[in-house]
């Protein structure tokens, strides 16, 4: 057998599987609040790594969110992200085909902390690039079918 067999693409179901197991284990061992703090730190480290991979053309909060969102789309974390600027400090974020929707719903329903990978990555980017934080208001979190996931949130941005 040849050693030059290409790497097979990871299926979204596997990412969802891994996400659930890691989040569940950390939440059980250390508690929901410690898990949420841990995943915030994961986002901070992730942002430092992302800056090595992606150029941020602007420090405008909306543009920072768009840059992170495009990266997550390109990587297959979600199929599509739509950001709608409602006001200067308010953005509606819609996520389609979210790869970790099933695990996130299970974790929230079970009282455990989901990774909120996208959220924590965006929080770190907003803090470092724009000097703002976001308050999130969940509007929708659903899995319309086995192949799809949808989430809609309102983010209110505030200077740190």
């Amino acid at each position: 057998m040849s050693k030059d067999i290409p790497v097979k693409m990871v299926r979204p179901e596997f990412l969802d599987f891994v996400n659930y197991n890691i989040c569940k284990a950390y939440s059980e061992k250390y508690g929901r609040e410690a898990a949420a703090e841990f995943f915030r730190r994961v986002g901070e480290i992730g942002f430092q790594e992302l800056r090595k991979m992606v150029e941020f053309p602007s420090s405008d909060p909306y543009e920072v969110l768009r840059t992170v969102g495009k990266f997550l789309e390109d990587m297959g974390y979600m199929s599509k992200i739509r950001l709608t600027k409602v006001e200067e400090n308010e953005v509606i974020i819609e996520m389609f085909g979210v790869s970790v929707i099933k695990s996130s719903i299970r974790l929230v329903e079970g009282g455990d902390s989901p990774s909120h990978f996208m959220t924590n990555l965006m929080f770190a980017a907003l803090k470092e690039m724009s000097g703002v934080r976001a308050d999130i208001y969940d509007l929708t979190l659903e899995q319309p079918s086995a192949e799809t996931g949808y989430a809609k949130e309102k983010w209110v941005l505030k200077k740190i």
Side-chain angles (χ1 to χ4, degrees):
M1 181 168 249
S2 174
K3 292 183 182 178
D4 63 349
I5 295 174
V7 174
K8 187 174 182 178
M9 295 299 291
V10 174
R11 292 187 6 220
E13 298 88 353
F14 183 71
L15 183 58
D16 197 48
F17 173 80
V18 170
N19 185 65
Y20 179 80
N21 296 328
I22 290 170
C23 295
K24 180 71 173 168
Y26 203 97
S27 292
E28 282 181 1
K29 186 163 178 82
Y30 300 105
R32 182 183 174 100
E33 285 183 29
E37 186 177 315
F38 171 77
F39 295 126
R40 270 191 300 279
R41 180 67 183 132
V42 168
E44 293 166 354
I45 292 168
F47 178 65
Q48 294 309 314
E49 293 301 308
L50 180 61
R51 290 195 73 176
K52 298 173 188 174
M53 302 167 61
V54 173
E55 186 168 328
F56 283 78
S58 171
S59 63
D60 173 74
Y62 181 76
E63 293 304 320
V64 168
L65 291 173
R66 284 176 39 100
T67 301
V68 175
K70 180 172 179 350
F71 168 78
L72 293 170
E73 272 184 6
D74 291 348
M75 291 293 118
Y77 181 78
M78 67 185 85
S79 298
K80 180 77 181 151
I81 186 167
R82 181 183 310 148
L83 290 91
T84 306
K85 189 185 244 185
V86 179
E87 294 179 18
E88 188 62 32
N89 68 335
E90 189 174 295
V91 179
I92 299 292
I93 299 179
E94 291 179 280
M95 297 151 276
F96 303 86
V98 180
S99 60
V100 295
I101 196 79
K102 184 177 178 183
S103 61
S104 295
I105 290 170
R106 283 180 67 199
L107 289 159
V108 169
E109 288 176 351
D112 297 306
S113 179
S115 66
H116 290 305
F117 186 79
M118 180 207 84
T119 302
N120 285 313
L121 189 61
M122 287 182 166
F123 277 4
L126 286 171
K127 180 180 178 183
E128 187 164 322
M129 298 291 302
S130 310
V132 300
R133 66 179 181 83
D135 291 330
I136 297 179
Y137 302 91
D138 290 320
L139 303 175
T140 308
L141 179 64
E142 60 188 35
Q143 186 174 13
S145 73
E147 297 82 28
T148 61
Y150 175 76
K152 183 177 181 181
E153 301 170 338
K154 177 170 76 169
W155 288 36
V156 178
L157 309 176
K158 298 178 180 175
K159 281 286 185 198
I160 295 175

